[in-house]
Amino acid sequence: MSHFEPPLAGKLAGLTSSAIRDLLKLTADPNILSLAGGLPDAELMPGARIAAAAESALRGSAALQYTESPGWGPLREVLAGRESDRLGRRVEIAEIFVTHGSQQALSLLAEVLIDPGALVVVEDPAYVGALQVFRAAGARIVAVPLDSEGLRVDRLAELLAAGERPALVHTVSNFHNPGGVTMSPRRRQALAALAEEHGFWVIEDDPYGELWFDRPAPASVASYSSTVIRLSSASKIIAPTLRVGWMVAPPRVCRAVELLKQGADLCGSALTQQIAAELLADGAWLTGHIDTVRGVYATRATALVDAARDHFGDRLRCTEASGGMFVWAEFTDGTDTGELLPRALEAGVAFVPGGAFAVSNPYPNAMRMCFTTAAPAVLTEAMSRLARAAGDRAPVQSAQL
């Protein structure tokens, strides 16, 4: 019997597992305080409300059947209403496409909008899920750096002036993962204007926009141009288990995505889409629920940043957490976070080194920390352990966990 195994597709050669997913395996130890994940807090997810909506959906048989490939009609109507409010214009149901989480939307769009070898511009540091999608699509990836106002649109303009012609630009506009920053209104307008002038698509990835702490995020980039495709999700505001994401895109893009989705999974879950429709349509309940999540996350973000400053001072520069789930931090003294991580794990704390999000800049001194799943006292203790691992010999009072 031959032991020859048929080959896999050549495009897999350049793909690697997510460093974050691999790290999560190491942090399953309950003795490790993990800042490495990117998960919403399960304790804040409305389990009883989801159960009630599921019971309501299951009173009929429609929730047990296949549904339309673009998504269950009533859910698309609810989403069209919500997105109309967000974009400041009437969003038609033909512009709404429901996907199995917003990551599937990104994957399907890559197939629709990118030919092998086409240029895709991403932010640096970059959202790892986007890098995986664009690499699998065979794109040529060029990075544009972030600063405190988000994507450096001036650097994008320089690329365009030099003759580069991207098929699309990807941005996490609000409370960036991993960078923690939010794109300023003037840059949003400038990005949309460049897209219209030079004829490229913008994918505005926005899973965190409703998780603001002090003030709402600026108007969506998609409010300035129809060349901007907006992605969002119920995962961060309700629960990931629903696997309900959506895009707002021109009808011709939605039709193209529909053809590919039919080949991938035919349609999403009628049950979870009906649950999501009920919860997203219940405005009074949803507002109260999201307000609660915002308040808890804001307290935790403040605790993490304050503890980092208490233990490290000017040695560690952190982004101001004004929303979302992450803080991006950089050591100013040359500490290598890749080298620090094994010592941190020994000390009982985990983070994601900046190199996991690198495109052109290796970010050897940076790290991403997630504050959503731990109480303030735990976050303070995590910073205490990190300071010991990093060689801070100042006396530290451990918090009672």
Side-chain angles (χ1 to χ4, degrees):
M1 181 180 293
S2 172
H3 295 287
F4 172 76
E5 293 186 357
L8 300 177
K11 66 181 180 181
L12 292 172
L15 300 184
T16 59
S17 176
S18 164
I20 301 169
R21 293 292 175 186
D22 294 342
L23 181 59
L24 290 180
K25 299 173 187 175
L26 299 176
T27 60
D29 183 342
N31 295 315
I32 292 179
L33 305 182
S34 180
L35 309 176
L39 309 176
D41 189 349
E43 297 298 319
L44 297 175
M45 295 175 195
R49 186 69 181 83
I50 291 172
E55 182 179 2
S56 176
L58 288 169
R59 291 194 188 110
S61 61
L64 305 177
Q65 190 54 275
Y66 292 108
T67 191
E68 299 94 334
S69 296
W72 189 54
L75 172 59
R76 294 170 70 205
E77 291 175 4
V78 170
L79 293 172
R82 285 174 53 83
E83 293 296 333
S84 295
D85 293 340
R86 183 171 292 273
L87 299 184
R89 66 170 180 83
R90 179 178 173 82
V91 174
E92 303 293 342
I93 192 170
E95 299 174 78
I96 300 290
F97 197 99
V98 179
T99 55
H100 191 75
S102 61
Q103 184 70 16
Q104 187 189 51
L106 189 59
S107 180
L108 292 171
L109 283 170
E111 293 188 65
V112 166
L113 304 179
I114 303 171
D115 290 318
L119 172 62
V120 171
V121 175
V122 300
E123 295 157 325
D124 201 2
Y127 168 53
V128 171
L131 291 179
Q132 289 179 308
V133 164
F134 298 143
R135 285 169 179 157
R140 179 169 67 92
I141 299 173
V142 171
V144 170
L146 294 172
D147 64 14
S148 61
E149 291 187 59
L151 175 72
R152 286 281 303 274
V153 178
D154 61 322
R155 296 288 291 274
L156 174 61
E158 290 173 4
L159 285 175
L160 295 167
E164 292 281 21
R165 290 296 176 262
L168 66 86
V169 173
H170 177 267
T171 179
V172 181
S173 56
N174 295 320
F175 317 120
H176 191 272
N177 175 12
V181 297
T182 294
M183 191 187 300
S184 65
R186 67 184 182 91
R187 289 194 185 173
R188 293 169 188 245
Q189 291 178 276
L191 175 58
L194 286 175
E196 293 202 340
E197 180 183 353
H198 294 278
F200 59 82
W201 295 101
V202 175
I203 297 180
E204 181 184 21
D205 217 340
D206 185 24
Y208 312 107
E210 295 189 70
L211 299 180
W212 49 268
F213 299 156
D214 299 320
R215 60 183 180 276
S220 169
V221 183
S223 66
Y224 297 109
S225 173
S226 61
T227 63
V228 182
I229 298 169
R230 206 181 104 74
L231 310 185
S232 195
S233 168
S235 293
K236 307 303 187 294
I237 59 172
I238 299 178
T241 190
L242 296 177
R243 305 313 300 138
V244 171
W246 58 89
M247 71 174 74
V248 184
R252 69 186 181 96
V253 173
C254 291
R255 287 194 297 271
V257 168
E258 181 177 358
L259 292 175
L260 290 175
K261 183 169 173 62
Q262 288 173 348
D265 63 5
L266 296 182
C267 64
S269 164
L271 175 59
T272 60
Q273 290 187 22
Q274 288 190 37
I275 293 170
E278 178 175 326
L279 300 185
L280 292 171
D282 189 348
W285 171 82
L286 186 62
T287 297
H289 167 68
I290 295 176
D291 281 346
T292 298
V293 174
R294 286 180 189 136
V296 172
Y297 285 0
T299 299
R300 293 174 181 178
T302 298
L304 178 62
V305 173
D306 286 351
R309 289 172 177 163
D310 289 345
H311 286 290
F312 292 99
D314 293 337
R315 184 184 175 196
L316 188 66
R317 184 173 59 242
C318 297
T319 55
E320 294 290 343
S322 57
M325 299 170 54
F326 305 105
V327 168
W328 181 257
E330 295 189 65
F331 283 97
T332 59
D333 63 354
T335 297
D336 187 303
T337 54
E339 296 176 359
L340 174 60
L341 180 59
R343 302 199 303 273
L345 290 170
E346 289 180 5
V349 62
F351 58 84
V352 184
F357 310 96
V359 184
S360 55
N361 185 330
Y363 298 105
N365 313 122
M367 60 184 173
R368 188 195 76 176
M369 299 183 289
C370 180
F371 51 76
T372 55
T373 56
V378 177
L379 294 167
T380 300
E381 172 64 11
M383 283 296 97
S384 169
R385 296 181 185 186
L386 184 63
R388 290 197 293 273
D392 185 342
R393 302 304 179 190
V396 177
Q397 186 69 39
S398 294
Q400 183 67 41
L401 301 183

